[in-house]
Amino acid sequence: MSTPATAVQWLDVAAAPYPFRLPLQHTALIMIDMQRDFILPGGFGETLGNDVARLADAVKVARGLLDWCRHLGISVFHTKEAHAADLSDCPTAKRNRGAPALRIGDPGPMGRILIDGEAGSDFVPELAPLPGETVIVKPGKGAFYATALGDLLRATDITHLLLAGVTTEVCVQTTMREANDRGYECLLIEDATESYFPEFKAATLAMIRAQGGIVGWTAPLSAFLTATEKAPW
Ligand code: TIU
């Protein structure tokens, strides 16, 4: 059945804690920090002492999610956690925290750690943005803090957000909570997000959907593919 250009197409997705209904024309994907610095050896994630290999499977599913969004014309935003070369947007507390082998701004095998424009801060190639997709460079964990994301979402009448990326309990959860407080209906794609700590991922998913979806919904990518097959349009 053909659909008038102005009609909103609704999708009903099996999700927890209950089905998620989204209007495609008012939904955006926020793909969070799928950068070499978190996903590949030699970057920020590894210098913090983490096993970055744990994130590889989520990259594959995230690619499937991106393809699905692109096919349906859903707006795509990519965020990257990165700082200015002079570190003017990096709080001293953030740079000094812990005892990493390399600190933010130090030279590493993929360039200076977590510095915008360096190879390590760029996206992994399979998740590179396409022309027309928006890249948000953020100095913090949450994608709304000190960025134009909120203004851009408002300007494009976005009401529903799909979230994915790394790491689940750090930048993804922070961003989802920021978005929830701003009134967005948020769903986290369970298998397109990952943590260096499986127990933290599990706890985050549970926290999000507890209490009737106090932060939002979760669902695997397969739920979206099934919902699309069943859609009346
Ligand atoms: N360390 C960790 O788990 N995450 C971050 O530092 N940033 C993001 O989650 N992107």
Side-chain angles (χ1 to χ4, degrees):
M1 191 175 71
S2 69
T3 313
T6 51
V8 171
Q9 293 164 290
W10 289 90
L11 194 66
D12 291 295
V13 179
Y18 58 91
F20 186 70
R21 188 148 209 261
L22 61 139
L24 293 189
Q25 288 75 10
H26 299 283
T27 298
L29 170 67
I30 314 289
M31 184 65 79
I32 296 173
D33 299 2
M34 287 298 213
Q35 300 161 248
R36 296 181 177 123
D37 258 325
F38 296 107
I39 293 167
L40 300 182
F44 187 57
E46 190 176 74
T47 197
L48 294 175
N50 299 303
D51 174 13
V52 295
R54 292 208 76 263
L55 308 187
D57 286 351
V59 171
K60 291 191 200 117
V61 179
R63 177 53 200 257
L65 174 62
L66 258 184
D67 290 344
W68 180 82
C69 288
R70 287 166 175 165
H71 178 69
L72 290 177
I74 289 175
S75 306
V76 177
F77 293 76
H78 303 258
T79 73
K80 52 155 92 167
E81 182 178 350
H83 293 281
D86 63 2
L87 296 177
S88 55
D89 58 359
C90 181
T92 305
K94 180 176 182 181
R95 186 159 195 271
N96 289 348
R97 190 74 50 81
L102 295 172
R103 294 190 184 278
I104 295 169
D106 287 349
M110 295 188 290
R112 294 178 67 200
I113 298 286
L114 228 58
I115 298 297
D116 195 22
E118 300 284 338
S121 79
D122 204 357
F123 301 101
V124 291
E126 53 271 58
L127 299 176
L130 290 182
E133 296 175 352
T134 305
V135 174
I136 302 285
V137 182
K138 62 184 182 63
K141 305 306 183 195
F144 288 83
Y145 168 68
T147 75
L149 180 60
D151 290 339
L152 292 171
L153 294 176
R154 263 193 307 278
T156 48
D157 288 332
I158 298 296
T159 55
H160 289 58
L161 298 180
L162 305 178
L163 295 107
V166 296
T167 61
T168 313
E169 81 282 10
V170 183
C171 290
V172 176
Q173 181 172 209
T174 301
T175 298
M176 190 162 177
R177 287 176 181 273
E178 285 183 329
N180 188 48
D181 282 350
R182 286 163 173 78
Y184 294 98
E185 305 282 16
C186 299
L187 183 144
L188 174 57
I189 316 293
E190 295 164 8
D191 43 358
T193 183
E194 195 47 86
S195 169
Y196 302 121
F197 306 89
E199 67 275 27
F200 291 171
K201 175 177 176 178
T204 301
L205 295 180
M207 280 189 273
I208 284 168
R209 59 197 179 209
Q211 306 182 65
I214 193 81
V215 183
W217 286 257
T218 77
L221 176 59
S222 61
F224 286 82
L225 306 182
T226 302
T228 318
E229 282 166 19
K230 290 183 183 163
W233 32 264

